[in-house]
Amino acid sequence: MSSSAVAGYVLFAAVDLKIGMQQVVVNQIHLNPQGEEQLAQAPPEQREKITKFWLYVTEGLFIANPAVVLAFIALGSLVLWGTINFIFGGRATYGSIFAVWLFAGLPGIVKPLLGTIVIFAGAAPETFNIKNYAPTNAAAFLNPLETNKALYALLTSLDAVTIWTLVLLGMGTAIVAGVKRSSGYLAVFGWWAILALIGAGIAAVTG
């Protein structure tokens, strides 16, 4: 967890130094044509307030990232613990699932470090996408404005680092629960597929 936090702050420093947090916010607004149009129609004073608000939110999420990730793991572990025990007949404790998730998340340091390399290699600030900053999925090579929103969301979910983490999580869950490895994979990838489809659906509706 500590190594992932360090990697996240390294990315934060790279973004702040080479891209600029103001540019990150501008890019995200640009990726939402409806929001960009509404912002353009707002009075200058209100437009400035909205932009500052999203700037503070973006910086805050970077700074609080370790706590946010830890909270997500805590909640996810609870869901996975219930799934593997009550659906697949496992005997895992909540603490063991939580520990497995922490170790399975170690590959997560790869993505922010790759993102840092991409930034220092000369990523264009005007096209930098903070939501997909590393070339670990097919969507990273596509223009989000020219790609179907649902398809873009699905391709973003098919991320190499995410899949790596899910494989480790499924394997570890099966071991601590005393069930077949296939059951661990079904529990983990089943929830991932549900979340990926929900994300694609939201993107299709809001896009």
Side-chain angles (χ1 to χ4, degrees):
M1 184 67 188
S2 59
S3 56
S4 297
V6 171
Y9 286 130
V10 168
L11 175 66
F12 176 41
V15 171
D16 193 43
L17 179 65
K18 303 292 289 185
I19 306 296
M21 298 308 296
Q22 183 74 32
Q23 185 65 53
V24 169
V25 172
V26 169
N27 291 353
Q28 289 307 301
I29 293 173
H30 180 61
L31 291 176
N32 182 0
Q34 292 180 344
E36 185 177 33
E37 184 179 354
Q38 291 175 355
L39 186 63
Q41 295 173 353
E45 184 177 339
Q46 185 179 358
R47 187 161 56 239
E48 184 179 355
K49 287 182 179 179
I50 294 173
T51 303
K52 281 186 177 180
F53 170 77
W54 285 112
L55 177 62
Y56 294 147
V57 168
T58 303
E59 290 178 338
L61 287 174
F62 261 116
I63 295 169
N65 182 256
V68 173
V69 171
L70 195 61
F72 175 81
I73 292 175
L75 179 59
S77 297
L78 181 62
V79 174
L80 187 56
W81 169 76
T83 303
I84 201 67
N85 284 348
F86 296 107
I87 296 179
F88 294 96
R91 301 179 302 279
T93 63
Y94 172 78
S96 64
I97 295 292
F98 184 81
V100 164
W101 201 317
L102 287 177
F103 282 108
L106 288 177
I109 66 173
V110 173
K111 195 164 184 173
L113 292 180
L114 275 178
T116 301
I117 292 172
V118 168
I119 290 171
F120 279 100
E126 297 78 14
T127 58
F128 180 78
N129 183 0
I130 193 61
K131 292 182 178 179
N132 202 5
Y133 54 80
T136 54
N137 59 74
F141 301 95
L142 301 175
N143 187 330
L145 290 174
E146 298 176 356
T147 308
N148 177 274
K149 300 298 183 184
L151 176 61
Y152 189 87
L154 281 175
L155 291 177
T156 301
S157 298
L158 293 170
D159 185 271
V161 175
T162 299
I163 300 299
W164 183 4
T165 299
L166 293 174
V167 169
L168 294 177
L169 181 57
M171 188 185 308
T173 298
I175 292 172
V176 298
V179 297
K180 294 180 180 179
R181 189 170 294 183
S182 58
S183 296
Y185 290 143
L186 282 172
V188 170
F189 280 92
W191 277 113
W192 168 79
I194 291 171
L195 293 176
L197 289 174
I198 290 174
I202 292 173
V205 171
T206 59

